[in-house]
Amino acid sequence: MPDELKPDELADYLRGGSDVSCQYQRDSAPEPPHELDRLVLKSAGSSNSKMPFKPQSLAPFAFAASVLLSFALVLAMVFGPQVKKPDDKPQVLRVRIFKSDPPRATPASARERNPVLWLADISALRRAGRGNEADAELRRFRSAYPDYIIPISE
Amino acid sequence: MLQTMNLSDDDASLMLRYRDGDTEAFAALYANYKGPLYRYLLRHVRNACAAADLFQEVWSHLIATRARYEPRAKFATFLFHIAHNCAIDFFRRDSNLRRVLPAYDSDSQLPEAEVPEHQRPDRVAEFVEQQSAVLAAVAALPQEQREAFLLREETGLNVEEIARITDVPVETAKSRLRYAVRKLKNSLRPMQEPEALRLRTYA
């Protein structure tokens, strides 16, 4: 058959150096445009990382980062610089706690509470010759009862 | 002499290095394969715009799936298998191509509105006319035969590897290559004969 390739012709072609192959290789050998080079190399570079991205592989790092951040936050709150405000100054309230009723003034004797009896005692001191004591008691009486009208004999 | 690339396992090593993050390894791989891959796509799909898109698609796929790369075959086989699949997808997407190519060979015409710009018969004819005789003959080959021939010429891979790339039995790949070479020889013979006659006349 005239159109049929001889068995050894394919082998010849595969060995290289056939007319068809030589003519094909002699022809121009176009290269991709530089723009394509740039795009492909950029794509390869931008997607480059030591390992392809795997979100689950970052979980331990995320956990460690959370712990570290929390710890740093606590440290900052405790030891970090603090701004003093006037209102922030603690107010000290002094509160006296009584176990019983509040103390009263020194209780006066029953005689002191009664001006007539108090004056009688003062007169007795004067009669007994204890004039200084009688005068002192009288001053106390007047401070206690400034409006009380003392009889002339006192 | 058949142009062959350095298809040793250096390329697989480069790909492994790129898989592990070495961008310079990718640049070396790209420099080795960009020309053969581009010419394979350009002369297979016969359109510069589509070839540029597919070229980018092939490398993008390789970049995206690099984490799964295992050197089970030559790197060229791996890369051109991706390219083959991208080209198949392209031909499937443009189902009109199957209608346009017979229209190009025959006199029947399809409405231009139904045909993508780059696949219009006049565009395909223009592409063929711009080529040398041998490239025009290659462009006129049936798709499968054209691919087998281009893979052989651009990569230097053997028939078994071409079969692997194109997902066909070895005998099928061998048959395609055989018919491609035969048709090319027949296409180129008329152009060589006048020159041979002229030489004989002068002699």
Side-chain angles (χ1 to χ4, degrees):
Chain A
M1 295 182 61
D3 211 23
E4 197 167 303
L5 198 67
K6 295 175 184 175
D8 59 343
E9 281 184 341
L10 180 62
D12 286 346
Y13 168 74
L14 291 174
R15 272 197 295 274
S18 70
D19 290 345
V20 171
S21 204
C22 287
Q23 287 190 49
Y24 181 87
Q25 296 297 335
R26 261 204 312 267
D27 215 276
S28 64
E31 294 283 320
H34 293 306
E35 179 63 16
L36 273 181
D37 291 344
R38 194 185 62 78
L39 286 172
V40 171
L41 291 173
K42 184 182 174 187
S43 174
S46 63
S47 64
N48 177 42
S49 59
K50 283 296 173 189
M51 288 298 291
F53 179 69
K54 293 178 180 175
Q56 64 271 24
S57 66
L58 295 180
F61 297 102
F63 176 73
S66 301
V67 170
L68 192 64
L69 186 63
S70 304
F71 186 65
L73 193 61
V74 169
L75 285 180
M77 289 172 66
V78 173
F79 298 109
Q82 296 180 355
V83 179
K84 290 187 176 181
K85 297 178 183 176
D87 292 341
D88 288 345
K89 191 173 181 179
Q91 302 282 334
V92 178
L93 296 176
R94 294 179 183 276
V95 179
R96 185 175 290 174
I97 300 173
F98 302 102
K99 291 182 179 176
S100 57
D101 293 339
R104 298 171 184 165
T106 305
S109 62
R111 196 177 292 274
E112 284 176 345
R113 286 197 297 267
N114 186 336
V116 177
L117 293 176
W118 195 353
L119 287 174
D121 288 341
I122 291 170
S123 296
L125 285 172
R126 199 172 296 281
R127 282 193 301 272
R130 297 163 60 184
N132 292 336
E133 291 180 31
D135 290 338
E137 278 298 310
L138 185 62
R139 283 195 293 275
R140 288 179 58 205
F141 179 83
R142 283 181 174 159
S143 64
Y145 298 100
D147 298 328
Y148 193 84
I149 300 170
I150 302 172
I152 295 174
S153 60
E154 293 296 330
Chain B
M1 191 67 183
L2 187 66
Q3 177 186 344
T4 57
M5 295 179 296
N6 178 14
L7 296 180
S8 68
D9 293 296
D10 291 347
D11 295 325
S13 302
L14 286 172
M15 186 60 197
L16 286 172
R17 280 171 51 196
Y18 175 58
R19 184 191 67 179
D20 294 336
D22 186 350
T23 309
E24 290 182 2
F26 178 85
L29 268 181
Y30 182 74
N32 285 345
Y33 286 91
K34 67 175 185 175
L37 178 64
Y38 182 71
R39 288 189 292 276
Y40 159 77
L41 291 169
L42 178 67
R43 290 165 180 169
H44 190 24
V45 303
R46 303 179 300 183
N47 177 271
C49 291
D53 288 345
L54 289 172
F55 181 82
Q56 209 173 339
E57 188 180 334
V58 171
W59 288 111
S60 298
H61 185 84
L62 182 138
I63 291 166
T65 60
R66 68 189 186 282
R68 298 196 297 271
Y69 175 74
E70 292 295 337
R72 286 189 286 266
K74 287 181 178 177
F75 176 76
T77 307
F78 171 71
L79 178 68
F80 280 85
H81 189 255
I82 297 173
H84 164 78
N85 288 334
C86 288
I88 291 290
D89 288 344
F90 167 79
F91 288 130
R92 279 184 188 148
R93 280 197 301 266
D94 292 317
S95 57
N96 283 331
L97 186 68
R98 290 180 182 275
R99 289 187 288 164
V100 170
L101 289 179
Y104 166 67
D105 292 332
S106 67
D107 291 335
S108 62
Q109 297 290 323
L110 287 171
E112 287 192 357
E114 294 182 12
V115 183
E117 167 71 16
H118 64 273
Q119 292 177 8
R120 280 169 41 195
D122 55 332
R123 296 294 183 205
V124 175
E126 187 182 340
F127 178 86
V128 173
E129 285 168 6
Q130 288 169 353
Q131 310 301 311
S132 67
V134 66
L135 291 182
V138 170
L141 287 173
Q143 184 180 313
E144 291 84 2
Q145 293 173 23
R146 185 168 68 246
E147 183 176 34
F149 178 78
L150 289 172
L151 284 171
R152 172 66 186 172
E153 291 296 325
E154 292 297 341
T155 66
L157 291 171
N158 60 34
V159 177
E160 288 76 15
E161 289 158 339
I162 291 172
R164 204 169 170 183
I165 289 173
T166 53
D167 294 320
V168 294
V170 174
E171 283 307 313
T172 304
K174 196 179 285 185
S175 174
R176 287 175 179 177
L177 197 54
R178 179 183 291 121
Y179 279 103
V181 171
R182 183 184 67 185
K183 286 179 182 174
L184 290 174
K185 276 178 176 279
N186 290 339
S187 299
L188 297 174
R189 191 173 298 144
M191 285 176 274
Q192 291 170 343
E193 281 175 352
E195 190 175 354
L197 283 172
R198 195 165 51 247
L199 287 173
R200 259 189 254 120
T201 305
Y202 285 115

